[in-house]
Amino acid sequence: MSHNSFGHLFRVTTWGESHGPALGCVIDGCPPGIALSEVDLQGALDRRKPGGSRFVTQRREADEAKILSGVFEGKTTGTPISVLIENTDQRSKDYGEIARQFRPGHADYTYFAKYGIRDYRGGGRSSARETAARVAAGAVALKVLKTLIGPQIAVRAALVQLGVHPIDRAHWDWAQVDQNPLFSPDASTLAHFEDYLDGIRKAGSSIGAVVEVQAEGVPAGWGAPIYGKLDSDLAANLMSINAVKGVEIGDGFNAANLSGEQNADEMRMGPDGIEFLSNHAGGILGGISTGQTIVARLALKPTSSILTERQSIDIDGKDVDIRTKGRHDPCVGIRAVPVAEAMMSCTLLDAYLRHRGQTGANAFVPGL
Amino acid sequence: MSHNSFGHLFRVTTWGESHGPALGCVIDGCPPGIALSEVDLQGALDRRKPGGSRFVTQRREADEAKILSGVFEGKTTGTPISVLIENTDQRSKDYGEIARQFRPGHADYTYFAKYGIRDYRGGGRSSARETAARVAAGAVALKVLKTLIGPQIAVRAALVQLGVHPIDRAHWDWAQVDQNPLFSPDASTLAHFEDYLDGIRKAGSSIGAVVEVQAEGVPAGWGAPIYGKLDSDLAANLMSINAVKGVEIGDGFNAANLSGEQNADEMRMGPDGIEFLSNHAGGILGGISTGQTIVARLALKPTSSILTERQSIDIDGKDVDIRTKGRHDPCVGIRAVPVAEAMMSCTLLDAYLRHRGQTGANAFVPGL
Amino acid sequence: MSHNSFGHLFRVTTWGESHGPALGCVIDGCPPGIALSEVDLQGALDRRKPGGSRFVTQRREADEAKILSGVFEGKTTGTPISVLIENTDQRSKDYGEIARQFRPGHADYTYFAKYGIRDYRGGGRSSARETAARVAAGAVALKVLKTLIGPQIAVRAALVQLGVHPIDRAHWDWAQVDQNPLFSPDASTLAHFEDYLDGIRKAGSSIGAVVEVQAEGVPAGWGAPIYGKLDSDLAANLMSINAVKGVEIGDGFNAANLSGEQNADEMRMGPDGIEFLSNHAGGILGGISTGQTIVARLALKPTSSILTERQSIDIDGKDVDIRTKGRHDPCVGIRAVPVAEAMMSCTLLDAYLRHRGQTGANAFVPGL
Amino acid sequence: MSHNSFGHLFRVTTWGESHGPALGCVIDGCPPGIALSEVDLQGALDRRKPGGSRFVTQRREADEAKILSGVFEGKTTGTPISVLIENTDQRSKDYGEIARQFRPGHADYTYFAKYGIRDYRGGGRSSARETAARVAAGAVALKVLKTLIGPQIAVRAALVQLGVHPIDRAHWDWAQVDQNPLFSPDASTLAHFEDYLDGIRKAGSSIGAVVEVQAEGVPAGWGAPIYGKLDSDLAANLMSINAVKGVEIGDGFNAANLSGEQNADEMRMGPDGIEFLSNHAGGILGGISTGQTIVARLALKPTSSILTERQSIDIDGKDVDIRTKGRHDPCVGIRAVPVAEAMMSCTLLDAYLRHRGQTGANAFVPGL
């Protein structure tokens, strides 16, 4: 019921505003005895942090995570892990205009409509800066999964569409993702993508994107029926990322176009057990993992902060025209890549712990 | 944490298997003093119930809802409302094959992988028959919303794509939806849609669909930030409907194609208050309602039960080929229309109650 | 957040009013593969059911539990278990007075103050009849515990004080508890207790009681720190039983009288592992089970329904004097004995499943 | 489900170990627009903080609370309030013995049995130092209650029994509580109490206590039926305080001794509405507030850290004898007074917000 928490047995609560002194999270339910240090978090945070290329906001934040509790002599103890990240580059600018005006596409108006008060500095709580805390939690979750399940667990995301331009999936190469500032897995379209985004950036405009996140090595049986579905949890958790307007699993919206024959993922016994001949389902059937790769995609709208003047109103009910100056990502979809990985990792660990609790995690093996 | 419940302050718990003696739900947190009777539920249930046309399963169920608690002298009392719906047309057929085989695309394998046991009769708990309980709960939620907020609240869904064929949105007419067995709002494409679906039905095949659900009359301020987002809750709750593989809000996946200028929903003050000049956001910004119509779409995969033989395995790990006989919907997307309305209604009522609790629901009016 | 549910991974939702058509519960999170039938529930229900002796209400209810879902071919499937118990002996009496008057000590006034409406027939939802659903759920929980942990798990309660008269603990004999209608473990005081209660019953009066519940065979490690403490959960769940006004663990209120030297439960290694030399803690330290017997006591106020006239008001704000006629328990503490067992069983199973989920239940063995 | 959180709509998550760098809490669901600053927290923290008299631990902590989020321009914004309290006086002593030994009466053994690892420095997470975070949250809750409901809301606690010595309730004077280091409301027994406790302290021993907490000005209607009872929540939340072994409401365990006639709180209409002629119920009937003063008592065991040698074992399974040196409270019950107030305040605010959400908080007035 707390709006700033997600997960059930592995439960993450985040706090902090864009221009407050710090932000962070409390991670509750982390299994004990897992080797963990700030280094584990920093690698993930560095991938998300601002200022890394010309394609992301030029705000400079070290995003250094401090672990304040829950780890003792290098291992988790089962008690809550408090992570703190200081804000260091909140520019002391004049917020006079933004303080009284509602930027179109932003949460300015709705926060005010709900609460009658808002921290307008840099978007306050609605800023994507909150996702730093998610990335820290995701790094913990992934470390736990790799420790408890094994190194075969991999959670990876990539940009698969930039504005109207999809990548060429025939050239998909995971190794490319961390070699370019767009987190694209496709080197063939990279130069074109960068030119395209440069044009948008220089025009003070912005563009949407689609991100795909995959989880490999997840055994069959995680998730639960009906309202505890793994895809339901993924949908909620991915939709909670700033600017996300759509989530799909496996073939997603394209599944509407298919016939039952096309959509069926047939099965055969292989030398190492059950084998699926396709993965239209994206690794989830009836809300429970099949053992195949879990595949989800999320659509992100363009950054709402643009230099072009847009019509709006202010808190006095007066019409105003707004140009949003300041440092912004021309495409928020890019930095959403590590955030999507984090949300997938947290969702999976939570599903695993619940499965272990409620079913004992006694995996069925066909034929035994 | 219970996998068979959804909602927080308005919380629905469903139970029951496809071929058990009955199914139902317990609705907890319903505000007191709301006029409610079984008639309110039956109208909604009749729209979802099987056997109504040649395009849906020929199973005959009266789907008569009995209210066993929580209503006294025609009004809700604030205590839990228990709804019971008896199963009457469970055919006593031989389940020999299906008992030991995993139907591709169904949850047979994953339930077994998770639990090591499954009620295979008609899909057991994973059957879409469970959605009857959702529809009953949705009818309660809508009645409460109309009573507490006013009759201007409307929650309506329609089929907007059948297989590869979208409706022509220029011909959208809500009045059409209940005039045809496909819940289509577009009379112009109806004959074509029916022919198309007849062909699929006669071939023993199936097809996917897209459903759109809209909520009008929702004031600004419902929902919450971060992980309590109204779109997060909608994503989870719509994704939990059987066969759904994707959920989008407002422009959804198309938002990825837009520039910031195109996507911005500009605002102006009108005679009756704030007016938005467009609704790309689908009525939700920062997880909180804007006061515009809330728009969501859900993509449904084709029914997995088809007459064409598909490859699979059985519980002994033997390869088998399966044709799924029996009574099935050629397009599960059709009967998902009233279910989508129900999930939207429940989600909104829950959001409203939380808003009322945590913020006092003191709506901000610009200029005051 | 639903007020009619308790537990987390093993979650029970009850519904139903005293004079409605039926009452019941939905049990979610029951592990799969547990042999279960209505016979398992009936034994527990028969101990609680009314009409069994002159010391309890003379309402005649068969309290026959029907399992409507979640069990297939004699075993639990992991899906929700819906239990239904019909009300058969709701007397069609004139509720004219009670409908408009608030009985002192009852929840009449507070339900009305909260909801502005109440089902006044027999106390409606606030009637102790609701505890039948708890007992059914407790029987399921105990069956699961015995199956998963072993037959050494025992959950037993007994009456230890009737009004001002405590039992003589030197004569404690568990075998006595089901041999007398007071659930007393002490045969030596039984005749005296029965005379005492007969006097109260004949006077149309009532009396309070204290019940003790013990759980043997619980391994060390169940429960959790801080707000997830096993004693916190027990306190909440036992306090939720009708008429309970106090809960204590181990030495409870008497612990306030002790010095640190007296209260310390010393430890030594015995042939089979760790041995405690006393159990002042009642089997729980830091919210986590120690492996000793878990001991809790609950104090119950006297039944509020008495024949002596008491001052009150009615819904018009008029002073009235009330004598509560009808069939009542002269001491609600008696039938609370099986209810206390049920709440202990449910609380323990929930704690075990959470422990298994979050820690993997890798019990520490000193010296290994 | 997170073990380090409590509350539902007003939800508090605490973190931190006794000898880590800091501890704190995240307060989620605080209503917006409430004037709040660190000064509001500090007053409460100063009452709880160590080192204030010879009767409490001599650890010196400033217990300065920093608010890191959720407050903007002096008012709450509805977003999570993160409170941080640094640990400054963790003595760098040799933990060699305690690291491997289980102190009787402490949570050392159970944490280790559960997690297989524990932060043994000062008790780690199980230290009563965690209650500083509770007190900060309680100060927020009380400020909110006073702002939303009115200044007539008062939440106050006092020591009512020290070891075997009860106060003389005839001399109860709330003004005394903050005038003496024992938080006793009874000046007449104070000198005797101080002598008694001095003797215990000098002997290196410890003693238990009973604390009473009262809430005045709570309207009728807060709380909820069955498992959402206000007394259930109070029982859980008070039992979660370190060293608490029993909780009672109103007459509590003494209610067992009463007849129905004695226990009935009769009602009459007075000039300002309904009047109760007694308050055996402690302000709660059927789990819902009556409008009378809410009264709860908690029994605390003696501090487990004592200088007298006690028998125990170590992690190698060897018998050892332990004397617990260091700085300790001779009676943990004393500093539990402000903690009990904090838990009462948080519980009440949560109940109020839920009431407002689910019932609209339309208070019933008899006769209208």
Side-chain angles (χ1 to χ4, degrees):
Chain A
M1 254 319 300
S2 59
H3 299 317
N4 295 281
S5 303
F6 70 100
H8 304 275
L9 287 188
F10 183 79
R11 187 158 176 88
V12 178
T13 300
T14 74
W15 56 270
E17 277 81 33
S18 178
H19 288 222
L23 60 88
C25 62
V26 181
I27 302 165
D28 201 2
C30 182
I34 310 292
L36 186 77
S37 77
E38 284 150 356
V39 172
D40 293 302
L41 279 61
Q42 206 57 52
L45 283 165
D46 287 347
R47 292 179 71 218
R48 193 215 71 100
K49 86 176 171 194
S53 80
R54 70 185 183 276
F55 300 117
V56 298
T57 174
Q58 295 307 300
R59 178 170 171 169
R60 297 276 163 182
E61 289 286 357
D63 278 1
E64 277 180 25
K66 289 179 200 160
I67 294 176
L68 297 181
S69 66
V71 177
F72 181 60
E73 297 182 341
K75 291 199 173 170
T76 61
T77 61
T79 64
I81 301 169
S82 177
V83 176
L84 182 106
I85 300 169
E86 288 183 42
N87 288 327
T88 56
D89 186 25
Q90 321 97 294
R91 280 200 195 161
S92 65
K93 65 181 169 184
D94 175 19
Y95 287 104
E97 286 183 6
I98 199 177
R100 305 185 55 79
Q101 299 180 346
F102 303 123
R103 295 168 298 167
H106 277 283
D108 296 350
Y109 170 65
T110 55
Y111 269 61
F112 205 58
K114 182 175 190 70
Y115 295 118
I117 183 175
R118 73 190 163 98
D119 181 345
Y120 46 75
R121 301 167 303 165
R125 181 71 180 145
S126 73
S127 163
R129 207 161 152 61
E130 183 267 348
T131 60
R134 301 176 186 230
V135 168
V140 173
L142 188 58
K143 190 78 188 285
V144 175
L145 282 170
K146 284 181 176 288
T147 305
L148 294 183
I149 306 300
Q152 73 278 14
I153 289 259
V155 176
R156 299 184 291 196
L159 186 87
V160 297
Q161 185 183 324
L162 184 73
V164 295
H165 303 293
I167 61 158
D168 179 353
R169 299 180 74 97
H171 289 98
W172 190 300
D173 176 8
W174 281 114
Q176 284 297 323
V177 170
D178 278 336
Q179 306 301 321
N180 68 78
L182 305 184
F183 295 115
S184 169
D186 170 20
S188 73
T189 50
L190 191 60
H192 172 56
F193 273 35
E194 296 197 353
D195 285 349
Y196 174 62
L197 195 53
D198 266 329
I200 288 160
R201 180 175 61 82
K202 287 172 185 166
S205 182
S206 65
I207 197 73
V210 177
V211 168
E212 180 165 320
V213 54
Q214 298 187 7
E216 291 168 82
V218 174
W222 295 10
I226 315 297
Y227 310 108
K229 283 176 173 155
L230 183 53
D231 30 1
S232 257
D233 281 359
L234 276 175
N237 293 344
L238 294 174
M239 189 67 92
S240 77
I241 300 173
N242 306 50
V244 171
K245 299 302 286 184
V247 176
E248 59 181 15
I249 307 294
D251 281 8
F253 274 83
N254 193 45
N257 301 318
L258 302 182
S259 71
E261 290 76 10
Q262 292 167 316
N263 184 64
D265 295 317
E266 297 182 283
M267 293 170 266
R268 277 292 182 246
M269 285 303 288
D272 301 319
I274 191 169
E275 286 178 4
F276 286 88
L277 311 187
S278 58
N279 188 15
H280 297 283
I284 304 176
L285 283 173
I288 301 168
S289 63
T290 63
Q292 289 195 281
T293 298
I294 293 173
V295 180
R297 270 176 305 281
L298 41 156
L300 296 106
K301 68 179 183 183
T303 313
S304 296
S305 299
I306 49 175
L307 287 178
T308 310
E309 213 163 62
R310 296 282 97 183
Q311 304 179 65
S312 188
I313 63 163
D314 65 16
I315 62 173
D316 297 319
K318 296 236 166 59
D319 287 350
V320 293
D321 294 316
I322 299 185
R323 291 176 64 232
T324 308
K325 289 158 280 186
R327 304 163 294 179
H328 302 291
D329 294 274
C331 175
V332 284
I334 296 172
R335 290 207 291 145
V337 166
V339 182
E341 291 173 0
M343 297 311 281
M344 174 66 88
S345 297
C346 291
T347 307
L348 288 175
L349 176 56
D350 188 49
Y352 168 62
L353 297 181
R354 281 145 69 189
H355 177 52
R356 192 163 73 167
Q358 284 184 312
T359 66
N362 299 308
F364 161 75
V365 182
L368 290 186
Chain B
M1 257 318 302
S2 59
H3 299 317
N4 295 280
S5 304
F6 71 100
H8 304 274
L9 287 188
F10 182 79
R11 188 159 176 85
V12 178
T13 301
T14 75
W15 56 269
E17 276 82 33
S18 177
H19 288 221
L23 60 88
C25 62
V26 181
I27 301 164
D28 201 2
C30 182
I34 310 292
L36 187 75
S37 77
E38 284 150 356
V39 172
D40 292 303
L41 281 59
Q42 205 57 50
L45 283 164
D46 287 347
R47 292 179 72 219
R48 193 216 69 100
K49 86 177 174 194
S53 81
R54 70 184 184 276
F55 300 117
V56 298
T57 173
Q58 295 307 299
R59 178 169 170 170
R60 298 275 164 183
E61 290 286 355
D63 277 1
E64 278 180 25
K66 289 180 200 159
I67 294 177
L68 297 180
S69 66
V71 177
F72 180 61
E73 297 182 341
K75 292 200 172 168
T76 61
T77 61
T79 63
I81 301 169
S82 177
V83 176
L84 183 106
I85 299 168
E86 287 183 44
N87 288 327
T88 57
D89 186 24
Q90 322 96 294
R91 279 201 195 160
S92 64
K93 65 180 170 185
D94 175 18
Y95 288 103
E97 284 185 6
I98 198 177
R100 306 185 54 78
Q101 299 180 346
F102 303 123
R103 295 168 298 165
H106 277 284
D108 296 349
Y109 171 65
T110 54
Y111 269 61
F112 205 58
K114 182 173 191 68
Y115 295 118
I117 183 176
R118 72 190 164 100
D119 180 346
Y120 46 75
R121 302 166 304 163
R125 181 71 181 146
S126 73
S127 164
R129 211 168 148 58
E130 184 268 348
T131 60
R134 302 176 185 230
V135 168
V140 173
L142 189 58
K143 190 78 187 285
V144 175
L145 282 170
K146 284 181 176 289
T147 306
L148 295 183
I149 306 300
Q152 73 278 15
I153 289 262
V155 176
R156 299 185 291 198
L159 186 87
V160 296
Q161 185 183 324
L162 184 73
V164 295
H165 303 294
I167 62 159
D168 179 353
R169 299 180 75 97
H171 289 98
W172 191 299
D173 175 8
W174 280 114
Q176 284 295 324
V177 170
D178 278 337
Q179 306 300 321
N180 69 76
L182 304 185
F183 295 114
S184 169
D186 170 20
S188 73
T189 50
L190 191 61
H192 173 56
F193 272 36
E194 295 197 355
D195 285 350
Y196 174 61
L197 194 54
D198 266 330
I200 286 159
R201 179 176 61 82
K202 287 172 186 165
S205 182
S206 65
I207 197 74
V210 176
V211 169
E212 181 165 320
V213 54
Q214 298 186 8
E216 290 168 81
V218 174
W222 295 10
I226 315 298
Y227 309 108
K229 283 177 174 153
L230 184 53
D231 33 358
S232 257
D233 280 359
L234 276 175
N237 292 345
L238 295 174
M239 190 68 92
S240 77
I241 300 173
N242 306 51
V244 172
K245 299 302 287 184
V247 176
E248 59 181 16
I249 307 294
D251 281 8
F253 274 83
N254 194 45
N257 300 318
L258 301 182
S259 70
E261 289 77 10
Q262 293 168 317
N263 184 65
D265 295 317
E266 296 182 283
M267 293 172 265
R268 277 293 181 243
M269 285 304 288
D272 302 320
I274 191 168
E275 286 178 4
F276 286 88
L277 311 187
S278 58
N279 188 15
H280 297 283
I284 303 175
L285 283 175
I288 300 168
S289 62
T290 63
Q292 289 195 280
T293 298
I294 293 173
V295 180
R297 271 176 303 281
L298 41 156
L300 295 106
K301 68 179 184 182
T303 313
S304 296
S305 299
I306 49 175
L307 286 177
T308 310
E309 213 163 63
R310 296 281 97 181
Q311 303 179 66
S312 188
I313 64 162
D314 66 15
I315 62 174
D316 297 319
K318 296 237 166 58
D319 288 350
V320 293
D321 295 316
I322 299 186
R323 291 175 64 230
T324 307
K325 287 158 282 185
R327 304 163 295 179
H328 302 291
D329 293 275
C331 174
V332 284
I334 297 172
R335 290 207 292 145
V337 167
V339 181
E341 290 173 0
M343 298 310 282
M344 174 67 88
S345 298
C346 291
T347 306
L348 287 175
L349 177 56
D350 188 49
Y352 168 61
L353 298 180
R354 281 146 68 190
H355 177 51
R356 193 163 73 168
Q358 285 183 312
T359 66
N362 299 309
F364 161 75
V365 181
L368 292 184
Chain C
M1 256 316 302
S2 59
H3 300 317
N4 295 281
S5 303
F6 71 100
H8 303 275
L9 288 188
F10 183 79
R11 187 158 177 86
V12 177
T13 301
T14 75
W15 56 270
E17 276 82 33
S18 178
H19 288 221
L23 60 88
C25 62
V26 181
I27 302 164
D28 201 1
C30 183
I34 310 292
L36 186 77
S37 78
E38 284 150 356
V39 172
D40 293 302
L41 279 62
Q42 206 57 51
L45 283 165
D46 287 347
R47 293 179 70 218
R48 193 215 71 100
K49 86 177 173 193
S53 81
R54 70 184 184 278
F55 300 117
V56 298
T57 173
Q58 295 307 298
R59 179 170 170 168
R60 297 276 164 184
E61 290 287 355
D63 276 1
E64 277 180 25
K66 289 180 200 159
I67 294 176
L68 298 181
S69 65
V71 177
F72 181 61
E73 296 182 342
K75 292 200 172 168
T76 61
T77 61
T79 63
I81 301 170
S82 177
V83 176
L84 183 106
I85 300 168
E86 288 183 43
N87 288 327
T88 57
D89 187 25
Q90 320 96 295
R91 279 201 195 161
S92 65
K93 64 180 169 185
D94 175 19
Y95 288 103
E97 286 184 6
I98 199 177
R100 304 185 55 79
Q101 300 179 345
F102 304 123
R103 295 167 298 166
H106 276 284
D108 296 350
Y109 170 65
T110 54
Y111 269 60
F112 205 58
K114 182 174 190 69
Y115 295 118
I117 184 176
R118 72 190 163 99
D119 181 346
Y120 45 74
R121 301 167 304 165
R125 181 71 180 145
S126 73
S127 164
R129 202 156 160 64
E130 183 267 349
T131 60
R134 301 176 187 231
V135 168
V140 173
L142 189 58
K143 190 78 188 284
V144 175
L145 282 171
K146 284 182 176 288
T147 307
L148 294 183
I149 306 299
Q152 73 278 15
I153 289 261
V155 176
R156 299 184 292 196
L159 186 87
V160 296
Q161 185 183 324
L162 184 73
V164 296
H165 302 294
I167 62 159
D168 178 352
R169 298 180 74 97
H171 289 97
W172 192 299
D173 175 7
W174 280 114
Q176 284 296 323
V177 171
D178 278 336
Q179 307 300 321
N180 68 77
L182 305 184
F183 296 115
S184 170
D186 170 19
S188 73
T189 51
L190 192 60
H192 173 57
F193 272 35
E194 296 197 354
D195 285 349
Y196 174 62
L197 194 53
D198 267 328
I200 287 159
R201 180 174 62 81
K202 288 172 185 165
S205 183
S206 65
I207 197 73
V210 176
V211 169
E212 180 166 319
V213 55
Q214 298 186 7
E216 290 168 81
V218 174
W222 296 10
I226 315 296
Y227 310 108
K229 282 176 173 153
L230 183 53
D231 30 0
S232 257
D233 281 357
L234 276 174
N237 293 344
L238 295 174
M239 189 68 91
S240 78
I241 300 173
N242 306 51
V244 172
K245 299 303 286 183
V247 176
E248 59 181 16
I249 307 294
D251 281 8
F253 275 83
N254 194 45
N257 301 319
L258 301 182
S259 70
E261 290 76 10
Q262 293 167 318
N263 184 64
D265 296 317
E266 297 182 284
M267 293 171 264
R268 277 292 182 247
M269 285 302 289
D272 302 320
I274 191 169
E275 284 178 6
F276 286 88
L277 311 187
S278 58
N279 188 15
H280 297 283
I284 303 176
L285 283 174
I288 301 168
S289 62
T290 63
Q292 289 195 282
T293 298
I294 293 172
V295 181
R297 271 175 304 280
L298 41 157
L300 296 105
K301 68 179 183 183
T303 313
S304 297
S305 299
I306 49 175
L307 287 178
T308 310
E309 214 163 61
R310 295 283 98 183
Q311 304 179 65
S312 188
I313 63 163
D314 65 15
I315 62 174
D316 297 319
K318 297 237 166 58
D319 287 350
V320 294
D321 294 316
I322 299 186
R323 291 176 64 231
T324 307
K325 288 157 281 186
R327 304 163 295 179
H328 302 290
D329 294 274
C331 175
V332 285
I334 295 172
R335 290 207 291 144
V337 166
V339 181
E341 291 174 358
M343 297 311 282
M344 174 68 88
S345 297
C346 291
T347 306
L348 288 175
L349 176 56
D350 188 48
Y352 168 60
L353 297 181
R354 281 146 68 190
H355 177 52
R356 193 163 73 169
Q358 285 184 311
T359 66
N362 299 308
F364 161 75
V365 181
L368 288 186
Chain D
M1 257 315 303
S2 59
H3 299 317
N4 295 280
S5 304
F6 70 100
H8 304 275
L9 287 188
F10 183 79
R11 188 159 176 85
V12 178
T13 300
T14 75
W15 56 269
E17 275 82 32
S18 177
H19 288 222
L23 60 88
C25 63
V26 181
I27 301 165
D28 201 2
C30 183
I34 310 292
L36 187 76
S37 77
E38 283 149 357
V39 172
D40 293 303
L41 280 59
Q42 205 58 50
L45 283 164
D46 287 347
R47 293 179 72 217
R48 193 216 70 99
K49 86 178 173 194
S53 81
R54 69 184 184 276
F55 300 117
V56 298
T57 173
Q58 295 307 299
R59 178 169 171 170
R60 297 275 164 183
E61 289 287 356
D63 277 2
E64 277 179 25
K66 289 180 200 158
I67 294 177
L68 297 180
S69 65
V71 177
F72 181 60
E73 297 182 342
K75 291 199 173 170
T76 61
T77 60
T79 63
I81 301 169
S82 178
V83 176
L84 184 106
I85 300 168
E86 286 182 44
N87 288 327
T88 58
D89 186 25
Q90 321 96 295
R91 280 203 194 157
S92 65
K93 64 181 171 185
D94 175 19
Y95 288 104
E97 285 184 5
I98 199 178
R100 305 185 55 81
Q101 299 179 346
F102 303 122
R103 295 168 299 165
H106 276 283
D108 296 350
Y109 170 64
T110 54
Y111 269 60
F112 205 58
K114 182 173 191 68
Y115 296 117
I117 183 175
R118 73 190 163 99
D119 181 345
Y120 45 75
R121 300 167 304 163
R125 181 72 181 145
S126 73
S127 164
R129 199 152 165 64
E130 184 268 347
T131 60
R134 300 175 186 231
V135 168
V140 174
L142 189 58
K143 190 78 187 285
V144 175
L145 282 170
K146 284 181 176 289
T147 306
L148 295 183
I149 306 301
Q152 73 278 14
I153 289 261
V155 176
R156 300 184 290 197
L159 186 87
V160 296
Q161 185 183 324
L162 184 72
V164 295
H165 303 293
I167 62 159
D168 179 353
R169 298 180 74 98
H171 288 98
W172 191 300
D173 176 8
W174 280 114
Q176 285 296 323
V177 171
D178 278 336
Q179 307 299 321
N180 67 78
L182 304 184
F183 296 115
S184 170
D186 170 20
S188 72
T189 50
L190 191 61
H192 172 56
F193 272 36
E194 295 197 355
D195 286 350
Y196 174 61
L197 194 52
D198 267 329
I200 287 160
R201 180 175 61 82
K202 288 172 186 164
S205 182
S206 64
I207 197 72
V210 177
V211 169
E212 181 165 320
V213 55
Q214 299 186 7
E216 290 168 81
V218 174
W222 295 10
I226 315 297
Y227 309 108
K229 283 177 173 154
L230 183 53
D231 32 359
S232 257
D233 281 358
L234 277 175
N237 293 345
L238 294 174
M239 190 68 92
S240 77
I241 300 173
N242 306 49
V244 172
K245 299 302 287 184
V247 176
E248 59 182 16
I249 307 295
D251 281 7
F253 274 84
N254 193 45
N257 300 319
L258 301 182
S259 70
E261 289 76 10
Q262 293 168 317
N263 183 64
D265 295 317
E266 296 181 285
M267 292 171 266
R268 276 293 181 245
M269 284 304 287
D272 301 320
I274 191 168
E275 285 178 5
F276 286 88
L277 311 186
S278 58
N279 187 15
H280 297 283
I284 304 176
L285 283 174
I288 300 168
S289 62
T290 63
Q292 289 195 279
T293 297
I294 294 173
V295 181
R297 271 176 303 281
L298 41 156
L300 295 106
K301 68 179 185 183
T303 313
S304 296
S305 299
I306 49 174
L307 286 178
T308 309
E309 212 163 62
R310 296 282 97 182
Q311 304 179 65
S312 188
I313 63 163
D314 66 15
I315 62 174
D316 297 319
K318 296 237 165 60
D319 288 349
V320 293
D321 294 316
I322 299 187
R323 292 176 64 232
T324 307
K325 288 157 283 185
R327 304 163 295 177
H328 302 291
D329 293 274
C331 174
V332 284
I334 296 172
R335 290 207 292 144
V337 167
V339 182
E341 291 173 0
M343 298 310 282
M344 174 66 88
S345 298
C346 291
T347 306
L348 288 175
L349 176 56
D350 189 48
Y352 168 61
L353 298 181
R354 280 146 69 189
H355 177 51
R356 193 163 72 168
Q358 286 184 311
T359 66
N362 299 310
F364 160 76
V365 182
L368 291 185

